[in-house]
């Protein structure tokens, strides 16, 4: 390991190792932490990032500037094998004036090693997640704080305690997204604050409470067109949008790569 990879202020970087829609084995691989400083910008396509750490919430990728665009990337965090499992990293942290978009990406931990949170957005960060998978977290798939603004479209959020947690004056807009195998709730706002805005449209929530505003009473919070299934409802799979089908096809291609988690195979099948 050479240490953290730092993209300094005013630098623009573009990396692409994408050989074709069915060839993901040529991904460039990085096992060091990345830090994109304020004023930096660029794009990453078909890269793999992994961080195993003994520092609580240390990010595999720290984004403080932008715009940054990531497509078909895999960002994974977890704990070092020689350390207690309570200490685990975060896949991505976006803070300060970060401006970043993720499309067809897989973020989080693994079936054998959870991260703490998948993605944290804070400060004045603006984050867009499209047709991506966020999974395997000890706490939350997406944590929104400060004045951060997060948009989630056609994604899978699965296998964490909360899908999305909201604090302070953060904003989240979620459309056509599936929340699957969450321990407590798809959306948490504890306590709900006046500046917190969360909108869910045309989403599917399976096997958990839809929205939790306090420790006792689950309720909906500014939701529209939500399909909610209790764990014992055994719902038939709703007709997927074309965008969702494309996201699932991307996940299937990623599954063929032996360096990706085999758990990706069951997304959309056993959910």
């Amino acid at each position: 390991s050479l240490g953290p990879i730092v993209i300094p202020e005013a630098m623009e970087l573009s990396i692409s190792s994408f050989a074709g829609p069915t060839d993901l084995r040529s991904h460039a691989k990085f096992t060091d932490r990345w830090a994109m400083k304020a004023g930096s910008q660029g794009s990453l396509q078909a890269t793999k990032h992994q961080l195993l750490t003994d520092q609580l919430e240390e990010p595999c990728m720290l984004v403080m500037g932008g715009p940054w665009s990531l497509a078909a990337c895999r960002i994974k965090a977890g704990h070092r094998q020689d350390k207690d499992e309570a200490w685990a990293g975060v896949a991505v942290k976006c803070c300060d004036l970060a401006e970043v978009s993720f499309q067809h990406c897989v973020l989080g931990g693994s079936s054998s090693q959870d991260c703490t949170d998948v993605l944290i957005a804070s400060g004045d960060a603006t984050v867009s997640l499209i047709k991506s998978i966020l999974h395997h977290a000890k706490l939350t798939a997406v944590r929104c704080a400060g004045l951060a603004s997060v948009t989630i479209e056609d994604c899978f959020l699965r296998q964490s305690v909360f899908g999305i947690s909201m604090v302070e004056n953060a904003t989240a807009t979620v459309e056509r997204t599936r929340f699957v195998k969450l321990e407590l709730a798809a959306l948490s706002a504890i306590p709900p604050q006046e500046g917190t805005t969360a909108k869910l449209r045309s989403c599917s929530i399976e096997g958990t409470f839809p929205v939790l505003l306090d420790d006792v009473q689950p309720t909906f919070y500014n939701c529209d067109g939500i399909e909610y299934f209790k764990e014992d409802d055994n719902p038939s799979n709703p007709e997927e949008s074309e965008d969702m089908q494309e996201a699932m096809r991307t996940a299937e291609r990623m599954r063929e790569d032996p360096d990706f988690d085999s758990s990706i195979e069951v997304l959309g099948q056993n959910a």
Side-chain angles (χ1 to χ4, degrees):
S1 174
L2 299 177
I5 298 173
V6 178
I7 313 302
E9 181 181 356
M11 180 176 181
E12 181 173 354
L13 173 71
S14 294
I15 297 177
S16 177
S17 60
F18 195 50
T22 60
D23 183 5
L24 299 181
R25 300 173 188 270
S26 60
H27 279 50
K29 300 178 182 179
F30 302 93
T31 55
D32 294 302
R33 173 182 169 184
W34 279 57
M36 290 87 148
K37 295 290 189 178
S40 67
Q41 61 180 308
S43 62
L44 301 176
Q45 186 176 34
T47 57
K48 294 180 183 177
H49 307 260
Q50 179 174 340
L51 177 70
L52 300 180
T53 179
D54 57 2
Q55 299 298 313
L56 185 64
E57 296 189 359
E58 180 180 5
C60 178
M61 183 172 289
L62 175 64
V63 186
M64 294 172 280
W68 281 95
S69 174
L70 285 79
C73 294
R74 174 66 163 104
I75 305 175
K76 178 180 176 181
H79 63 86
R80 283 173 44 186
Q81 295 292 343
D82 59 336
K83 296 294 181 179
D84 190 285
E85 292 187 10
W87 299 90
V90 172
V92 182
K93 183 175 182 179
C94 305
C95 60
D96 299 340
L97 296 174
E99 182 182 348
V100 57
S101 65
F102 300 88
Q103 188 164 0
H104 291 171
C105 293
V106 178
L107 314 177
S110 67
S111 56
S112 61
Q113 191 175 66
D114 290 344
C115 59
T116 302
D117 295 293
V118 177
L119 185 144
I120 299 174
S122 62
D124 290 292
T126 301
V127 180
S128 173
L129 294 152
I130 301 173
K131 304 172 189 175
S132 295
I133 299 167
L134 294 83
H135 64 168
H136 294 299
K138 296 178 183 294
L139 296 177
T140 305
V142 179
R143 193 204 311 174
C144 307
L147 296 171
S149 175
V150 178
T151 301
I152 304 172
E153 299 178 0
D154 299 292
C155 291
F156 285 103
L157 277 62
R158 57 175 280 151
Q159 292 177 304
S160 59
V161 176
F162 296 107
I164 303 169
S165 65
M166 307 285 300
V167 296
E168 299 171 333
N169 296 305
T171 300
T173 302
V174 188
E175 298 185 1
R176 301 178 304 278
T177 289
R178 294 181 65 181
F179 297 85
V180 181
K181 296 183 179 179
L182 306 177
E183 292 184 22
L184 289 183
L187 174 66
S188 166
I190 305 176
Q193 300 182 23
E194 184 176 352
T196 301
T197 303
K199 298 180 180 179
L200 280 69
R201 302 189 184 99
S202 303
C203 295
S204 174
I205 300 171
E206 303 175 26
T208 187
F209 287 128
V211 181
L212 195 62
L213 295 186
D214 56 52
D215 294 329
V216 179
Q217 180 62 42
T219 183
F220 285 101
Y221 183 58
N222 203 358
C223 300
D224 177 39
I226 304 301
E227 295 180 282
Y228 170 49
F229 306 107
K230 293 183 296 183
E231 193 164 0
D232 56 358
D233 282 345
N234 192 24
S236 58
N237 288 330
E239 183 179 354
E240 305 286 7
S241 69
E242 184 177 342
D243 285 342
M244 183 67 81
Q245 291 177 8
E246 183 178 350
M248 293 174 67
R249 287 193 294 269
T250 300
E252 181 66 18
R253 292 197 297 269
M254 289 180 172
R255 181 191 64 80
E256 296 172 357
D257 184 344
D259 290 334
F260 281 76
D261 300 326
S262 60
S263 58
I264 295 175
E265 180 179 2
V266 301
L267 289 180
Q269 298 176 16
N270 295 336

